Amino acid sequence: MLYTAVVCRAFLGFVFGASAFGKLRGRGAFAAFANGLSDLRVVPPRLVRLVAAAVAGAEAVVPPLLLGPATARAGLALAFLLLGAFTPAVVVVLRRGTAASCPCFGASGAPFGARHVVRNTVLMAVAAVGLSTAGAGPGRSAGLLLAVLTGAVLASLVVRLDDIADLFALSD
């Protein structure tokens, strides 16, 4: 179970790290995220910048928490809670028919779709599995390295999900 926990922690750490970096890499990136959040119309306009800062800050805290065994549960729980807030927001946007793009990993032209709900639900499941397997004993270096690399590869697929979907989209 240790390796499963490490895959989950690495996976979520890389996903949340990329997400936070996409929003915090500069003033322009943060402004684009705040504007994208405003376009979603799930946050009152006067609170958009505050919520944007809170989301980006919370996302930035997840990866360091996942690094240490003593703080891994807190990082997994925070990831689960964040995803538990993001997923219903995406559902609301989809039900409204709002043509808003996904500001998940910084500015993006990809409009929200069902794949974003599925992605977030899968990430929530990963956090739940991580929570249920956290605290396992020591492992071998090679196994731990493989678990971290597996998490990194899975995270790269999630981070580039919109690009992958575009690649396989049927053209007219």
Side-chain angles (χ1 to χ4, degrees):
M1 293 308 244
L2 168 70
Y3 300 117
T4 300
V6 172
V7 168
C8 293
R9 288 168 48 194
F11 182 19
L12 292 169
F14 285 119
V15 166
F16 277 91
S19 185
F21 179 77
K23 295 170 180 77
L24 297 172
R25 69 179 183 269
R27 287 184 190 196
F30 181 78
F33 169 62
N35 290 336
L37 184 61
S38 178
D39 292 344
L40 299 179
R41 298 181 331 188
V42 293
V43 175
R46 71 185 193 294
L47 297 177
V48 165
R49 293 195 69 75
L50 176 66
V51 170
V55 165
E59 288 180 343
V61 169
V62 170
L65 287 174
L66 294 174
L67 285 175
T71 58
R73 285 188 189 277
L76 291 162
L78 179 56
F80 187 87
L81 291 172
L82 286 168
L83 291 159
F86 300 160
T87 306
V90 175
V91 171
V92 166
V93 169
L94 290 174
R95 286 199 176 151
R96 283 187 191 153
T98 305
S101 63
C102 176
C104 309
F105 297 100
S108 171
F112 272 120
R115 73 176 171 263
H116 297 102
V117 175
V118 172
R119 176 200 62 203
N120 289 354
T121 303
V122 168
L123 291 171
M124 285 179 71
V126 169
V129 169
L131 279 165
S132 71
T133 58
R140 295 178 177 239
S141 297
L144 294 171
L145 178 60
L146 183 59
V148 170
L149 290 174
T150 300
V153 168
L154 293 172
S156 68
L157 294 173
V158 167
V159 169
R160 304 309 310 180
L161 177 65
D162 290 330
D163 295 330
I164 294 167
D166 287 345
L167 181 66
F168 291 103
L170 298 175
S171 58
D172 294 339

